[in-house]
Amino acid sequence: MTGSDQAREPEGRSAPGAAGGEGLRREGTAFLFLRQLRETLTSGASAQERLDAFVKRIAGHFVAEVCSFYALRGSEILELYATEGLNPDSVRRAQLRVGEGLVGLIARERVIVNAPEAREHPAFRYLPETREEDFSSFLGVPVKSGMRLRGVLVVQNRVARRYTEDEIAALETFAAVLAETAEPAGLLPRGGRKAPLHLHGTPAAEGVAIGVAALREPPYSLPNPVAQDAAAEQHRLREAMESLRGDLDRLLESEAAQAHDAPRDVLEAFRLFAQDKSWMRRIEQGVAAGLTAEAAVDQARADTRAKLARVSDPYIRARFDDLDDLAERLIRKLLGVREIDPEDLPENAILIARALGPGELLDYGRERLKGVVLEEGSSGAHAAIVAKSLGIPMVVQARGALESVEQGDPVIVSGDQGQVHLRPHPDVLAAFRDKIALKEQERAAFAPWRRLPAVSLDGRRIRLFMNAGILADLPSLRDSGAEGVGLLRTELQFFIRARLPRRSDQEAFYRAILKSSAGKRVVFRTLDVGSDKVLPYLNLQTRREENPALGWRALRVGLDRPALLKMQLQSLVRAAEGGPLAVMFPMVAEREEFQRAKALLMREIERLAEAGTPRPSKLEVGAMMETPSLAYAHDDFLREVDFLSIGGNDLAQFFFAADRGNDRVAWRYGVLKPSFLRFIREICGRCSALDLPLSFCGEAAARPVAAVALAALGVETLSMRPASIAAVKKAIRSVNLGEAREIIDAALARDAYPEPELAALLARR
């Protein structure tokens, strides 16, 4: 859907209005119409008569030829439940699947569609039984109760026209009245699937959990959404907001937040959202339009969700989950519903929700909560960061989970594979129980290898390092057997905050990292932002890029915004306090970029030294090879860098011209492809000839067969997730790397894939 087909909500939108966007200027008129709608739905007539009267009233209010309500049946089907203007014989007969047509698009994406020429919209699908061919303009909004979709409400006109912001707001309000009034009155379909269901999502936090479904769907229904006294509602809203802010302050001081640095940093950013004036202004406008305070909060939440469809940046999308969390807390305050009690959760609870903020995850804690499944969200969301810190498996983007599960259903969550099994077959349940038991056995079996050096059978020593991004990762340095941190992603500190970290904040974070490393080597990668990693508060993206992965990102941003890079370099030098410091610049594409960045670092070291800051006792300045161009840099460049680190994920992406985030192409290519192995062999040869330390950082380093291949070609250092280090150590210690090199060379000579032979070599040990 294009931006022109999507409803927009400017700041200061007026109250709901009639056709033509003139608005209901008199508050009493708005209250009266909303009250009439509610009375229509709760009258003594039959269910169908009440729904028919409801859509007829709305059509008259909009001066629209058509008003229709499509109800969600189960989790997949949208059925025409009532209409004014379409063929009445199509009621309870015309159906669309979720995602099919404009109505299905609204249901799937929870968005507003405002199309002057519906037939020209790419998602349009004609239903001949409804006889809707005469109608051009289309406005549709999702009908939601709490966070659960109940259907879609639509108005249509013959004349081609774009509906106004006031009309959009009005239809959203009428949808809220329908959802919150019709459900208790038994006008909406109930029930969903009972058969086993397998959902695919995106891994967000590693691990596997078996438990029972605990729906985040709030255990309340909103009362009559029509207010009697706007001033009283505004007072209730202000009091509830003040109470909410106090709760957030207390949550920051809670034991769970204090025990983990990541949740505390996340909550600091989360608390800032509670101060967002534009969000509060939208809620206050809803109250002024005739809604109760809680209904206005729920509508503001729905409006925010509608905006989500127009945002591609995953960081910004993830922040909407925080606003959802705040809205949920505020509604509970207004209704007087008691706060979340972890004791309410069943044993081995798997939380099922559309979205989740970090605060609620900390409220639940880890004692009973064993896994999380979200219909939306992202692996970089605040809730995912907290889940990783607490060791709770999480899957996001599991579409259809809420509509397909009931409270207490058995659930399996695989945060490793991004899989969710609802009401699994006994054989599937048994298989996952075996898998969990096997993982425990493997963990115990690998434990003795953690403390051993990674020395191959032919005496080659390979150094294994871990990747990290937040302070909560550092305990793994002690427990995993890693020799140090081969990649510290400094940008994560920026992403979990709502504003640019001050120099003192950065310095304190880097100092804490170095202190926690207990003298082991830590390689700090400077800020890697741009592409899909956007920091809204920096306003770096001044225009849309056609190929953001190849665009203005990483070191390119730092060199063009030197103040940002200088602040980070100053913080690193101060944090080192005269000790060793290793700095790595990301995505260096040519020698001149590295020279400019290193010169900036050296100037800051000298400037700080003049002010009394000690110089690092040992300074290492390296480059990350993520572009093929750097592999062909002049030998003089290789002599200038202190170390070189291959960024395997991006390098393979650019080498094969295959977006690693695109499932249709990413699986086709990998580091064990013959062409890529020849490329790595050439890089290793150049570095070896110049005695330049070379490391490899990427997902492949965590896979034993790939790790053996890289080590055999000459990579001396591998950096990976901590959980994989023991398995890779075992593989290195079980193989003759010289023999592995012969297998690879022979396979490349005949242009063959060496993985089967390498796997067989490992299996023999």
Side-chain angles (χ1 to χ4, degrees):
M1 182 173 57
T2 64
S4 62
D5 296 319
Q6 177 67 35
R8 298 183 178 275
E9 183 205 3
E11 295 298 321
R13 186 168 67 185
S14 60
E22 295 177 0
L24 294 175
R25 305 187 187 284
R26 290 181 298 148
E27 205 171 74
T29 306
F31 286 138
L32 177 62
F33 186 74
L34 290 175
R35 189 178 299 118
Q36 289 172 344
L37 285 179
R38 184 172 183 274
E39 290 170 353
T40 298
L41 293 171
T42 56
S43 69
S46 70
Q48 189 62 57
E49 287 172 337
R50 282 180 277 168
L51 286 173
D52 289 344
F54 177 81
V55 296
K56 186 173 183 178
R57 277 189 177 276
I58 295 177
H61 179 81
F62 274 84
V63 193
E65 282 88 4
V66 173
C67 178
S68 304
F69 170 56
Y70 295 81
L72 182 68
R73 297 188 63 87
S75 62
E76 297 291 337
I77 301 300
L78 291 155
E79 185 174 290
L80 182 62
Y81 246 50
T83 186
E84 170 69 16
L86 297 182
N87 179 13
D89 293 336
S90 63
V91 172
R92 306 297 176 106
R93 291 176 50 214
Q95 293 183 341
L96 290 161
R97 298 186 70 83
V98 171
E100 184 180 26
L102 294 177
V103 172
L105 174 66
I106 295 167
R108 185 185 67 194
E109 302 295 338
R110 307 320 200 246
V111 297
I112 301 162
V113 171
N114 183 5
E117 289 283 1
R119 288 183 294 271
E120 295 180 2
H121 193 288
F124 176 78
R125 188 207 159 180
Y126 173 57
L127 293 177
E129 62 267 34
T130 65
R131 302 173 188 166
E132 61 177 335
E133 64 271 15
D134 293 336
F135 306 105
S136 297
S137 54
F138 176 102
L139 173 63
V141 301
V143 177
K144 298 170 60 181
S145 174
M147 288 173 290
R148 177 164 291 189
L149 182 76
R150 294 306 187 191
V152 175
L153 187 61
V154 173
V155 292
Q156 295 172 269
N157 282 85
R158 284 187 172 86
V159 63
R161 58 178 292 257
R162 178 169 298 283
Y163 293 90
T164 68
E165 293 290 334
D166 286 338
E167 291 171 307
I168 295 168
L171 196 61
E172 287 180 292
T173 302
F174 303 154
V177 172
L178 174 62
E180 306 305 340
T181 306
E183 184 177 15
L187 303 182
L188 301 182
R190 297 178 180 273
R193 298 187 189 182
K194 295 295 182 182
L197 182 63
H198 178 205
L199 300 177
H200 291 277
T202 301
E206 293 180 350
V208 177
I210 297 175
V212 296
L215 273 66
R216 186 191 186 239
E217 182 75 6
Y220 59 76
S221 60
L222 294 180
N224 175 14
V226 182
Q228 303 297 323
D229 186 340
E233 295 302 310
Q234 293 284 9
H235 179 70
R236 291 179 62 229
L237 179 63
R238 285 193 293 270
E239 284 193 334
M241 198 65 205
E242 285 303 314
S243 178
L244 172 62
R245 289 166 181 156
D247 287 350
L248 294 180
D249 289 339
R250 287 187 288 275
L251 188 59
L252 263 168
E253 302 303 321
S254 67
E255 182 178 341
Q258 292 296 319
H260 301 275
D261 291 276
R264 188 166 64 249
D265 285 344
V266 166
L267 283 174
E268 288 282 6
F270 183 52
R271 183 168 58 176
L272 292 176
F273 281 98
Q275 311 292 336
D276 187 87
K277 293 181 180 179
S278 63
W279 183 59
M280 277 300 297
R281 189 159 54 246
R282 286 195 295 273
I283 298 172
E284 290 168 350
Q285 288 166 359
V287 172
L291 295 177
T292 60
E294 47 267 60
V297 174
D298 195 47
Q299 178 175 297
R301 172 165 57 186
D303 290 349
T304 302
R305 278 289 133 195
K307 285 183 174 181
L308 187 61
R310 301 194 299 273
V311 178
S312 60
D313 177 66
Y315 176 79
I316 298 176
R317 290 170 68 94
R319 302 295 77 81
F320 282 102
D321 297 340
D322 296 347
L323 284 175
D324 258 354
D325 195 338
L326 287 171
E328 176 68 15
R329 289 168 178 272
L330 190 53
I331 290 173
R332 287 175 178 273
K333 287 283 183 188
L334 290 161
L335 292 176
V337 177
R338 65 188 178 89
E339 293 299 317
I340 293 168
D341 186 347
E343 296 299 319
D344 291 339
L345 285 178
E347 296 288 342
N348 300 321
I350 306 296
L351 187 65
I352 313 289
R354 182 178 49 74
L356 191 70
E360 188 167 357
L361 192 53
L362 282 171
D363 282 335
Y364 284 117
R366 63 191 300 178
E367 184 176 345
R368 291 172 178 254
L369 185 60
K370 303 305 178 186
V372 177
V373 177
L374 302 182
E375 286 195 342
E376 298 180 3
S378 72
S379 57
H382 280 167
I385 293 172
V386 173
K388 291 172 185 175
S389 179
L390 298 179
I392 298 173
M394 177 185 282
V395 172
V396 299
Q397 295 295 319
R399 295 296 178 89
L402 268 179
E403 283 81 12
S404 307
V405 70
E406 293 185 0
Q407 198 84 11
D409 278 350
V411 181
I412 299 172
V413 180
S414 174
D416 301 326
Q417 303 297 324
Q419 296 180 348
V420 181
H421 296 266
L422 304 178
R423 300 173 297 277
H425 187 277
D427 291 346
V428 175
L429 190 60
F432 269 90
R433 283 179 175 152
D434 290 344
K435 182 178 180 179
I436 291 174
L438 183 60
K439 275 185 171 290
E440 290 298 323
Q441 293 173 10
E442 289 178 349
R443 191 175 292 113
F446 283 133
W449 298 89
R450 294 194 184 109
R451 303 301 174 195
L452 299 175
V455 179
S456 67
L457 293 179
D458 52 340
R460 277 195 53 203
R461 170 72 181 267
I462 306 300
R463 303 179 70 194
L464 302 185
F465 283 65
M466 61 170 270
N467 300 331
I470 56 178
L471 193 57
D473 292 332
L474 267 294
S476 298
L477 182 56
R478 178 185 65 252
D479 301 331
S480 66
E483 296 186 44
V485 178
L487 173 63
L488 196 290
R489 300 182 179 94
T490 60
E491 61 271 10
L492 293 190
Q493 184 199 17
F494 290 72
F495 289 136
I496 63 176
R497 294 175 181 266
R499 59 188 177 197
L500 179 69
R502 296 171 298 182
R503 184 182 289 100
S504 58
D505 295 330
Q506 294 185 47
E507 180 183 340
F509 172 69
Y510 303 144
R511 183 178 290 111
I513 292 288
L514 290 169
K515 183 178 180 180
S516 298
S517 70
K520 292 185 177 181
R521 182 172 182 255
V522 178
V523 178
F524 292 92
R525 184 178 69 184
T526 59
L527 192 60
D528 186 1
V529 294
S531 182
D532 61 342
K533 296 186 287 188
V534 176
L535 298 175
Y537 52 78
L538 289 182
N539 194 27
L540 293 175
Q541 301 303 103
T542 56
R543 60 184 177 85
R544 184 177 181 273
E545 294 182 319
E546 292 298 325
N547 295 294
L550 304 176
W552 196 51
R553 52 173 293 201
L555 185 58
R556 297 166 184 176
V557 173
L559 293 176
D560 288 352
R561 296 288 186 271
L564 186 65
L565 181 56
K566 283 168 60 177
M567 180 187 293
Q568 185 175 34
L569 295 176
Q570 291 166 7
S571 302
L572 285 167
V573 174
R574 289 176 184 270
E577 297 180 326
L581 178 63
V583 177
M584 179 168 63
F585 296 114
M587 201 175 172
V588 177
E590 60 179 2
R591 178 185 181 188
E592 185 263 346
E593 291 175 336
F594 176 80
Q595 289 175 329
R596 288 175 57 196
K598 183 176 180 179
L600 194 62
L601 171 61
M602 301 311 294
R603 281 198 300 271
E604 291 308 311
I605 290 175
E606 291 305 315
R607 194 181 65 81
L608 290 171
E610 292 174 1
T613 300
R615 295 181 176 85
S617 59
K618 178 183 179 182
L619 178 65
E620 297 177 89
V621 186
M624 202 158 196
M625 179 185 288
E626 297 168 275
T627 63
S629 64
L630 204 64
Y632 301 102
H634 196 277
D635 282 354
D636 287 346
F637 163 75
L638 299 181
R639 294 187 181 97
E640 289 175 1
V641 296
D642 296 317
F643 64 93
L644 196 63
S645 180
I646 296 173
N649 297 341
D650 263 333
L651 185 62
Q653 171 179 239
F654 299 140
F655 183 84
F656 290 113
D659 181 0
R660 59 190 175 98
N662 186 334
D663 292 337
R664 299 178 69 179
V665 297
W667 64 272
R668 301 170 184 265
Y669 311 103
V671 300
L672 293 178
K673 287 287 186 177
S675 58
F676 194 75
L677 286 177
R678 290 191 194 94
F679 187 49
I680 296 295
R681 184 173 62 181
E682 184 177 344
I683 296 168
C684 291
R686 292 194 66 194
C687 290
S688 177
L690 295 170
D691 199 24
L692 174 64
L694 177 66
S695 63
F696 184 98
C697 175
E699 295 174 5
R703 298 195 291 269
V705 173
V708 166
L710 292 167
L713 289 174
V715 177
E716 299 283 339
T717 300
L718 300 171
S719 190
M720 65 199 73
R721 57 180 180 267
S724 301
I725 288 176
V728 172
K729 273 191 179 181
K730 184 178 185 296
I732 296 293
R733 290 181 61 88
S734 303
V735 74
N736 182 309
L737 289 178
E739 187 178 349
R741 175 64 183 262
E742 291 175 1
I743 289 174
I744 294 171
D745 287 342
L748 298 186
R750 61 179 190 274
D751 202 29
Y753 196 42
E755 183 170 15
E757 294 173 80
L758 289 174
L761 178 66
L762 283 172
R764 292 206 303 267
R765 309 297 179 183

